[in-house]
Every structure is written in structure tokens, then in C-alpha cells.
């Protein structure tokens, strides 16, 4: 890799807000570090989901690897016009290796399919793409730590660049924080369009939050947000 290629490579990630670039450990760690740092040769211009998944490998870049069962990369239509981003896998997702398959996932499916059908938009969950900020389950479903979000965030950013959706829907405050680098809460961010780079992005409540019985107003608001997103993307 020439120094110009290296400069372009680093500036691409800087633009995406990535501060730390990881280095893949060589198969057998040499006793003396190599003179030239071997950076994984990513090709952002024609990056693919398969390539990103391959780069994640059997990831041990942060502590979340210790207790995870399966890495949850993401699932859905790879040509999706709409991408949903959640926080991180829960117990069901960790067991199956798929995002949003537990109770929150069932609600997300209902939200997508219920709103679409009410609004006369012929899509189902299989038409969108769904992924998370962190790909491994945080112990006891705790909120991911900033360093875990940053480490895994580079893969989320690459997924979004590779997918190039017409819009992104961030579910909850962890996804909003990761993508907007803001400390504002969901209540203030939701309902309005933001941008992740040049891609329009809506923030709404996380389905787990909506499952709590005292959040009925939030449920109505989330349905309104989703209606906006679906019309923007599919009209
Ligand atoms: N909650 C999330 O944020 N993501 C999942 O995949 C499941 C539950």
C-alpha cells in the first residue's frame, strides 16, 4: 500500500467518524513487530457485506467476545432501500445469530408490516435490512460501552456505506448516539429528519422501550415516525 493509498484510506474512516483503525493480528504473532504496519486492505469504493463479515471474522477486538455465543452481523435484503439500526443483540439474537428475533423483534416486525399494510405500502420485513451498533451481546443486556461502540461502529459504518439505503431508521438512543454523535435523547431527536453523511435518517424509540406498558404515547409516536419513513422511502 502506497502512502497516498494509506492517506486516502485513513481519511475515508476519519470522515465516517472512526478514530481507531484496528489491525488484524497476523496468523502467528512475530516476536518482533514488523517494520511496516499491515493494515487490512479494505476497498471502501466496492466494499460488500460479505467482505465486511469476513473482516469481522471470529472477532476478539473487545470484551464483548468473552460471553457471546454468536456474532449478529445483520440480516435482510442486501439491496434494501431502508435500514434499521438497533443497539445490540439480546439473548435470543445471541443464540440464533440473527438480529431482532426476540420479543422486541416481533414488535419491530409488527411495526414495519402493520404500518406498511395500513398505509398501502407493499413491503414486509424481508424487504428491509436490520443490524445493530454492536454485533455481540452485552452481558445482562447492558448498554454498550463507548469503546465497544467505537470498535464495532466501524463495521456498522461500512455496512451502511455498502448498503447505500435511501434512509436509515435508528432505533433508540444507542443507535442515535453512534450515528449522530449526539448526546440528545430520543424524545428530542425523534420525528424529524437527520442525516448520517448524506443519507436521511429518522430516530425513533427502541421496540424494547415500547414493550413497557406505560409507554403508550411513545408507541403512537413511533408509529408516526415509521409512517413518515415508509412514505419517504417507498412512495
Ligand atoms: N435489541 C436490539 O437492539 N437489537 C436486537 O437485535 C435485538 C434487541
Amino acid at each position: 500500500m502506497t502512502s497516498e493509498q494509506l492517506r486516502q484510506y485513513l481519511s475515508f474512516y476519519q470522515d465516517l467518524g472512526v478514530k481507531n483503525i484496528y489491525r488484524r493480528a497476523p496468523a502467528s504473532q512475530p516476536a518482533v513487530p514488523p517494520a511496516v504496519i499491515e493494515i487490512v486492505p479494505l476497498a471502501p469504493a466496492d466494499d460488500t457485506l460479505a467482505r465486511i463479515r469476513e473482516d469481522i471474522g471470529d472477532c476478539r477486538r473487545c470484551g464483548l467476545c468473552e460471553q457471546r455465543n454468536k456474532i449478529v452481523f445483520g440480516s435482510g435484503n442486501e439491496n434494501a432501500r431502508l435500514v434499521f439500526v438497533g443497539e445490540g443483540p439480546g439473548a435470543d439474537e445471541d443464540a440464533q445469530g440473527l438480529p431482532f428475533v426476540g420479543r422486541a423483534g416481533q414488535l419491530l416486525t409488527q411495526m414495519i408490516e402493520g404500518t406498511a399494510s395500513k398505509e398501502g405500502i407493499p413491503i414486509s420485513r424481508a424487504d428491509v435490512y436490520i443490524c445493530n451498533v454492536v454485533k455481540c451481546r452485552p452481558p445482562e443486556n447492558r448498554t454498550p460501552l463507548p469503546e465497544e461502540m467505537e470498535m464495532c461502529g466501524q463495521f456498522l459504518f461500512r455496512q451502511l456505506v455498502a448498503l447505500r439505503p435511501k434512509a436509515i431508521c435508528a432505533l433508540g438512543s444507542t443507535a442515535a448516539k453512534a450515528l449522530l454523535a449526539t448526546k440528545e435523547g430520543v424524545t428530542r431527536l425523534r420525528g424529524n429528519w437527520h442525516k448520517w453523511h448524506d443519507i436521511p435518517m429518522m430516530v425513533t424509540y427502541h421496540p424494547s422501550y415500547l414493550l413497557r406498558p406505560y409507554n403508550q404515547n411513545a408507541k403512537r409516536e413511533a408509529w408516526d415516525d415509521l409512517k413518515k419513513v415508509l412514505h419517504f422511502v417507498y412512495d
Side-chain angles (χ1 to χ4, degrees):
M1 184 182 281
T2 66
S3 60
E4 178 51 23
Q5 281 170 327
L6 181 60
R7 195 193 61 70
Q8 283 178 8
Y9 176 96
L10 292 174
S11 115
F12 172 80
Y13 282 101
Q14 221 161 28
D15 284 351
L16 294 179
V18 174
K19 292 187 207 99
N20 298 321
I21 302 276
Y22 68 90
R23 183 163 91 83
R24 183 187 276 162
S28 60
Q29 195 77 44
V32 179
V36 177
I37 292 176
E38 177 223 342
I39 292 180
V40 182
L42 303 171
D46 52 9
D47 211 4
T48 63
L49 293 177
R51 178 67 197 278
I52 301 163
R53 181 64 191 87
E54 195 185 312
D55 283 345
I56 291 177
D58 183 29
C59 187
R60 312 206 63 82
R61 294 175 184 89
C62 82
L64 293 182
C65 68
E66 302 297 339
Q67 293 180 51
R68 70 143 190 262
N69 285 301
K70 290 195 172 160
I71 291 174
V72 179
F73 179 68
S75 74
N77 181 348
E78 302 202 350
N79 297 309
R81 281 188 265 167
L82 175 58
V83 176
F84 287 87
V85 180
E87 176 174 302
D92 296 300
E93 291 77 18
D94 176 64
Q96 294 186 42
L98 292 168
F100 282 99
V101 288
R103 274 184 74 217
Q106 283 163 20
L107 179 58
L108 180 62
T109 307
Q110 265 176 38
M111 287 168 68
I112 296 169
E113 300 191 348
T115 311
S117 119
K118 218 162 155 193
E119 298 297 308
I121 299 167
I123 61 142
S124 70
R125 172 174 165 148
D127 293 300
V128 305
Y129 192 85
I130 302 178
C131 57
N132 284 302
V133 175
V134 295
K135 314 299 188 207
C136 297
R137 182 190 182 199
E140 319 298 332
N141 297 340
R142 66 157 168 78
T143 306
L145 302 173
E147 58 267 30
E148 294 160 352
M149 286 167 62
E150 194 178 318
M151 187 58 82
C152 219
Q154 62 188 293
F155 298 111
L156 170 65
F157 297 163
R158 283 179 62 192
Q159 282 176 298
L160 295 174
V161 171
L163 286 158
R164 280 247 132 248
K166 186 167 174 190
I168 298 167
C169 184
L171 301 167
S173 67
T174 298
K177 262 190 206 130
L179 295 172
L180 292 176
T182 178
K183 289 198 170 121
E184 289 285 9
V186 175
T187 316
R188 283 181 148 252
L189 295 168
R190 63 148 293 274
N192 296 309
W193 287 104
H194 304 269
K195 273 203 169 164
W196 182 78
H197 294 269
D198 56 346
I199 305 176
M201 179 174 132
M202 178 67 70
V203 176
T204 195
Y205 295 106
H206 193 287
S208 303
Y209 176 76
L210 301 175
L211 281 170
R212 300 176 201 161
Y214 43 88
N215 290 336
Q216 290 312 302
N217 275 345
K219 219 166 177 171
R220 261 190 300 279
E221 289 174 336
W223 254 268
D224 282 346
D225 298 340
L226 207 52
K227 211 156 91 178
K228 249 188 218 173
V229 172
L230 294 182
H231 280 296
F232 172 78
V233 174
Y234 296 103
D235 277 357

